[in-house]
Amino acid sequence: MNHLIEYTVIGCYLLFLLAVGFAFRRFNHNVSDYFRNGCRGTWWLVGMSAFMSGISAYTFTGAAGVAFEAGWSVSIIYIGNALGYLVNVLFLAAWFRQLRAITVPEVIRLRFGALTQQVYAVSGVLLNVLYSGMTLWALAIFSASVFGYDVDVVIIVLGLVVMFYSFTGGSWAVMATDFIQGMIMMPMTVLITFLCLRAVGGVDGFIEMVAQRGLRDDFAIIHQPGEFPMGAFTLAWALAMVVQQVWTHNTLNSAARYFAVKDGRDARKGAALAFVMMSVGALFWFIPPMAARLLYEEQTLATALNKPAEAAFAIASVQLLPQGLVGLMVVAMFAATMSSLDTGLNRNAAVFVRDIYPLICRFLGRPMADERAQFRMSQLFTLIFGLLIIASALYFSRASGMGMFDIMLNLASMLGLPLAVPMLLCLFIRRVPWWSALVSIGLGWAGSLLAACWPTPWTFQQKVLVNLVAGSAGFVLTMPFWAYSAAAYRQMVDAFFIRMRTPVDFDKEVGKPNDQRQLAIIGGFMIAIAGFVALLLLLPNDSSGRWSILFIAGCMVSVGLVMVIAGRRSQREAWGIQSGAAAQAAASEESLGQQPVADAP
């Protein structure tokens, strides 16, 4: 019976996501709409999408496993993310929007030229497929070990759902589903944290139980060298983690999250929302796995995962949630992964159509397709990259290796960081030659290769330090060669910085907003999902379980109602302005003794 309820909740949720993609299909008329919302995305839509794309089920699996073993240390990763968004708020989010681009490689071409553009386009697409496949595989392995779901079924079903709504609704559907999924995930994690604290006797009981179990040192935020392998969770590790997270959140590689918003002011507001949500998440997400260490250690360590601690969040949820909400908790974990998958899928298709396809046309000596054909091509490659991600996840599912936490850290520090180093420096160091980013990447990857080949393994902080120093040195040491740069390149660089620092005039550059439609559609879906969650009250639960269900449904319906009401009010105001303008124009014409233009012969 319980499994039937879980499957029903998950199945209905996936159908809702498909409906969102279908509802937003009419928002897409061209490539700009499909890949960046036509620059009409509201700040709350873009901000929530930026937040959700920065997490995955890894947060509740790999990172939760670290919290089970090392307590608050893992929160440093998400504090670093929050600080990265805070720097976005201060000025970089506005700069990124003001680049007026559809893809990141387009911007890189404006800054460094075509060769560097293609290096980032190709490497970015390959890394994104690899990362997305690994993330989907990790979620499937987790679901199989903890909930008994079939690995291949999870990979194929979730991959096809993401692929379908990304295909039908483009960036609009991606951001809309990210918002809805965020509004499911956050209340669920807050509820689970509350239930965990209640189970251990509140905050005071939590602190007392940690002391009784002798876990104060284990749960400390900073650990002494030697407590954990490879110097993990020490002060040096924490500093390296914060630097890496802040750095990577403020590079041109991360700029695409703000391309869809209306202007620089709204970009800052979106970044502020992401900052607040990430800060709240860092506070709530890791109490459940620590509570699992206190209450359910044996059940957690008995799971069949490569690293059983990674099941801690799920075990606490299964033990404490009422009937019906276990399926919704699974949905929340699925949501965290799908939100990063759909964003990556949409951006991969954008990079291929906008950056790689033109190079192929030039190489073959053929003209590029027109706008309509490019739009259809965008949809086609959304499907193609979706299938590639599913295929890579199925490949990983037949392999074994380290835990998710170690895999993600290695991928970020050894492959991602060298690409990120020059993409932040280039925003502040103007006078470098066109090949400076390539030198920086080459030295960074050389450092990663050295780490991979070294007889003894390097710690995470050593990898970060070497890649940052090597990449930064490679970039800075090219500065003297600016003097030999061609005049055309210097003019291109000057134009880049002027473009980046020139505010967007939405009315002139974009035109009419569609805020009311966004509010109405997403608000309507929120109310509908809240109604479905409320049906879980019919299940046989105690009063505590019913209050838990009411909390989730109440959070969602409250947000949905606010959005629908705000959308209607905004629509009435828009009609009032238009009516007032028309009446004023008619009165002006009458006072001048003229007939309205419509009545003129």
Side-chain angles (χ1 to χ4, degrees):
M1 178 64 178
N2 287 342
H3 281 303
L4 178 60
I5 294 170
E6 285 180 31
Y7 293 147
T8 301
V9 170
I10 294 169
C12 290
Y13 165 74
L14 296 179
L15 289 176
F16 272 117
L17 294 185
L18 296 177
V20 172
F22 189 75
F24 276 93
R25 75 194 189 284
R26 296 186 182 277
F27 279 62
N28 296 303
H29 305 289
N30 52 46
V31 172
S32 177
D33 290 338
Y34 195 72
F35 289 136
R36 60 171 183 178
N37 298 46
C39 297
R40 290 179 172 86
T42 49
W43 65 268
W44 47 266
L45 185 69
V46 173
M48 183 64 84
S49 182
F51 161 67
M52 286 297 290
S53 65
I55 61 175
S56 69
Y58 156 79
T59 302
F60 307 108
T61 54
V66 175
F68 181 89
E69 296 174 342
W72 290 107
S73 297
V74 71
S75 65
I76 291 171
I77 299 174
Y78 299 89
I79 292 171
N81 290 344
L83 292 175
Y85 286 123
L86 182 60
V87 176
N88 287 176
V89 173
L90 297 177
F91 58 96
L92 282 180
W95 284 8
F96 291 154
R97 169 60 185 94
Q98 289 159 193
L99 288 167
R100 299 163 171 85
I102 295 179
T103 69
V104 168
E106 285 182 17
V107 177
I108 295 173
R109 181 186 179 94
L110 296 176
R111 181 64 178 87
F112 291 110
L115 180 58
T116 306
Q117 174 200 26
Q118 293 304 317
V119 169
Y120 273 90
V122 174
S123 62
V125 165
L126 293 176
L127 282 176
N128 194 282
V129 170
L130 177 67
Y131 177 80
S132 297
M134 194 172 293
T135 302
L136 184 55
W137 156 72
L139 175 61
I141 290 292
F142 176 84
S143 300
S145 300
V146 178
F147 303 113
Y149 303 159
D150 184 87
V151 173
D152 290 349
V153 170
V154 172
I155 289 173
I156 294 171
V157 170
L158 292 189
L160 289 177
V161 169
V162 171
M163 186 172 69
F164 180 81
Y165 71 70
S166 300
F167 164 77
T168 54
S171 180
W172 281 112
V174 166
M175 291 194 174
T177 53
D178 285 352
F179 184 89
I180 292 170
Q181 292 180 125
M183 294 311 302
I184 294 174
M185 184 200 71
M186 289 303 288
M188 281 298 303
T189 53
V190 169
L191 173 63
I192 293 168
T193 300
F194 170 78
L195 295 176
C196 286
L197 287 175
R198 189 181 67 173
V200 296
V203 175
D204 291 339
F206 178 82
I207 295 172
E208 183 179 348
M209 191 173 291
V210 168
Q212 290 175 352
R213 294 281 301 275
L215 295 175
R216 280 181 177 173
D217 291 339
D218 283 3
F219 283 0
I221 191 167
I222 300 296
H223 295 268
Q224 297 300 315
E227 284 189 49
F228 289 90
M230 302 297 295
F233 318 127
T234 60
L235 180 60
W237 180 92
L239 291 173
M241 180 60 70
V242 170
V243 168
Q244 175 182 272
Q245 298 305 95
V246 172
W247 193 295
T248 54
H249 275 73
N250 289 280
T251 71
L252 282 181
N253 291 329
S254 300
R257 59 169 60 107
Y258 302 112
F259 289 170
V261 81
K262 292 192 285 188
D263 54 29
R265 181 171 175 269
D266 274 14
R268 286 195 181 98
K269 291 165 69 175
L273 176 61
F275 163 71
V276 171
M277 298 296 285
M278 191 65 73
S279 300
V280 171
L283 178 64
F284 282 94
W285 291 335
F286 304 112
I287 291 175
M290 287 190 282
R293 176 84 177 268
L294 300 173
L295 299 172
Y296 312 115
E297 185 171 11
E298 290 185 9
Q299 295 97 312
T300 300
L301 297 179
T303 53
L305 286 170
N306 185 39
K307 293 189 69 173
E310 293 177 349
F313 193 101
I315 293 296
S317 303
V318 169
Q319 294 291 331
L320 296 172
L321 286 173
Q323 279 195 79
L325 287 192
V326 173
L328 203 61
M329 188 277 297
V330 176
V331 160
M333 299 186 68
F334 285 180
T337 293
M338 294 169 76
S339 60
S340 58
L341 290 180
D342 57 22
T343 302
L345 179 58
N346 185 260
R347 289 177 185 172
N348 256 12
V351 168
F352 185 89
V353 172
R354 300 287 299 183
D355 300 288
I356 298 175
Y357 165 68
L359 177 68
I360 295 173
C361 288
R362 287 195 296 271
F363 179 77
L364 297 177
R366 295 180 179 178
M368 287 181 57
D370 59 21
E371 181 75 12
R372 183 172 181 80
Q374 287 188 41
F375 176 66
R376 297 303 178 196
M377 187 184 304
S378 303
Q379 293 181 309
L380 172 63
F381 276 93
T382 297
L383 295 177
I384 290 173
F385 282 115
L387 293 174
L388 287 175
I389 289 171
I390 292 172
S392 64
L394 290 172
Y395 170 78
F396 287 128
S397 73
R398 285 152 177 77
S400 60
M402 298 179 291
M404 285 174 264
F405 185 78
D406 298 317
I407 292 173
M408 296 303 179
L409 283 191
N410 278 312
L411 189 64
S413 62
M414 299 182 71
L415 294 179
L417 188 58
L419 287 167
V421 168
M423 291 297 103
L424 176 59
L425 295 177
C426 73
L427 298 175
F428 301 97
I429 302 176
R430 181 191 298 248
R431 298 185 174 186
V432 290
W434 67 266
W435 41 269
S436 57
L438 300 178
V439 172
S440 176
I441 296 168
L443 288 178
W445 278 345
S448 296
L449 182 62
L450 182 64
C453 298
W454 201 259
T456 56
W458 287 15
T459 65
F460 167 75
Q461 48 267 37
Q462 287 173 325
K463 295 171 186 174
V464 170
L465 177 63
V466 168
N467 283 334
L468 281 177
V469 170
S472 299
F475 193 85
V476 171
L477 290 175
T478 64
M479 291 174 63
F481 295 92
W482 166 263
Y484 304 100
S485 297
Y489 171 71
R490 295 189 182 200
Q491 292 172 1
M492 183 177 76
V493 172
D494 290 340
F496 170 86
F497 280 94
I498 292 171
R499 180 190 189 110
M500 184 173 70
R501 295 176 182 177
T502 301
V504 172
D505 187 326
F506 179 80
D507 292 334
K508 290 182 179 179
E509 297 183 36
V510 181
K512 186 179 179 181
N514 59 7
D515 297 17
Q516 300 94 343
R517 293 177 67 195
Q518 296 177 52
L519 285 164
I521 293 176
I522 298 175
F525 273 107
M526 292 289 296
I527 293 172
I529 296 173
F532 172 74
V533 173
L535 291 176
L536 299 176
L537 291 169
L538 300 174
L539 298 175
N541 284 305
D542 58 19
S543 60
S544 174
R546 294 179 187 277
W547 279 113
S548 296
I549 293 170
L550 277 175
F551 170 74
I552 301 298
C555 287
M556 298 186 69
V557 77
S558 299
V559 174
L561 286 173
V562 167
M563 295 176 74
V564 170
I565 293 170
R568 290 179 178 175
R569 181 179 300 171
S570 179
Q571 188 174 28
R572 285 197 301 268
E573 290 174 356
W575 276 108
I577 292 171
Q578 293 173 5
S579 302
Q584 185 178 4
S588 176
E589 290 169 348
E590 185 177 350
S591 67
L592 293 172
Q594 298 175 348
Q595 293 294 321
V597 174
D599 296 334

